[in-house]
């Protein structure tokens, strides 16, 4: 399971150190794609295949919009011998990834955030513990 939060940096070539705790779950090859909320998502191949199957289950106008959003910039990646993954320039630019980043595990995927954007997101009222409790109650969790 992919869980945890790690402060990292991205090097000048766009390489990110993938935390050791994530490497086994991600496998030797994985998919990097644009995420929601201006982050980058890294999917293990099995999770990407499930996500892809769901998106491709229908071919209406809304699904085609999702196809273009998620598939157009997605790339297959591998971890190098030093535990790093190269994030393509277009995806780095999309998420505003510069020197300081946060790498988080979100159960079935990894997200990479610009550190400043992550901190801003975590400071929103929606991330307040009481608000999270309300959402859990609404969802019956």
């Amino acid at each position: 399971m992919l869980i945890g939060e790690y402060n990292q940096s991205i090097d000048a070539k766009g390489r990110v150190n993938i935390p050791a705790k994530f490497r086994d779950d991600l496998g030797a090859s994985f998919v990097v794609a644009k995420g929601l909320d201006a982050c980058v998502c890294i999917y293990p191949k099995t999770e990407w295949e499930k996500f892809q199957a769901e998106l491709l289950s229908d071919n209406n106008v809304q699904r085609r919009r999702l196809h273009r959003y998620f598939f157009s910039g997605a790339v297959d990646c591998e971890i190098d011998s030093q535990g790093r993954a190269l994030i393509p320039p277009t995806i780095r630019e999309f998420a505003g990834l510069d020197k300081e980043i946060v790498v988080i595990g979100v159960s079935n995927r990894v997200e990479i955030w610009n550190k400043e954007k992550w901190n801003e997101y975590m400071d929103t009222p929606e991330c307040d513990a009481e608000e999270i409790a309300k959402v859990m109650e609404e969802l019956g969790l």
Side-chain angles (χ1 to χ4, degrees), residues 2-55:
L2 298 161
I3 57 174
E5 178 179 324
Y6 302 87
N7 289 300
Q8 301 280 5
S9 59
I10 190 165
D11 71 15
K13 294 181 180 179
R15 296 175 298 196
V16 174
N17 183 41
I18 302 298
K21 291 188 176 192
F22 293 164
R23 292 182 204 154
D24 284 341
D25 288 333
L26 288 174
S29 178
F30 45 85
V31 175
V32 175
K34 293 185 289 187
L36 302 175
D37 303 314
C39 72
V40 173
C41 289
I42 300 177
Y43 295 89
K45 288 284 187 162
T46 55
E47 291 299 326
W48 178 255
E49 289 166 4
K50 289 178 194 175
F51 182 59
Q52 181 176 338
E54 180 64 30
L55 286 177

Side-chain angles (χ1 to χ4, degrees), residues 23-129:
R23 292 182 204 154
D24 284 341
D25 288 333
L26 288 174
S29 178
F30 45 85
V31 175
V32 175
K34 293 185 289 187
L36 302 175
D37 303 314
C39 72
V40 173
C41 289
I42 300 177
Y43 295 89
K45 288 284 187 162
T46 55
E47 291 299 326
W48 178 255
E49 289 166 4
K50 289 178 194 175
F51 182 59
Q52 181 176 338
E54 180 64 30
L55 286 177
L56 294 173
S57 66
D58 195 0
N59 190 23
N60 62 38
V61 173
Q62 291 177 319
R63 294 271 181 164
R64 286 194 306 271
R65 186 179 313 142
L66 296 176
H67 299 170
R68 291 179 190 117
Y69 180 85
F70 288 107
F71 300 146
S72 65
V75 295
D76 286 315
C77 285
E78 295 178 355
I79 295 176
D80 69 14
S81 62
Q82 295 180 12
R84 302 171 301 189
L86 177 64
I87 308 300
T90 55
I91 294 178
R92 289 194 317 261
E93 185 178 318
F94 161 80
L97 300 183
D98 51 21
K99 186 75 174 150
E100 300 297 317
I101 61 172
V102 178
V103 180
I104 62 170
V106 190
S107 183
N108 68 338
R109 69 183 182 278
V110 171
E111 292 181 351
I112 303 174
W113 288 72
N114 168 293
K115 186 174 183 173
E116 186 176 317
K117 287 181 183 178
W118 173 250
N119 290 335
E120 288 172 7
Y121 174 76
M122 292 304 292
D123 287 339
T124 62
E126 292 84 17
C127 290
D128 176 75

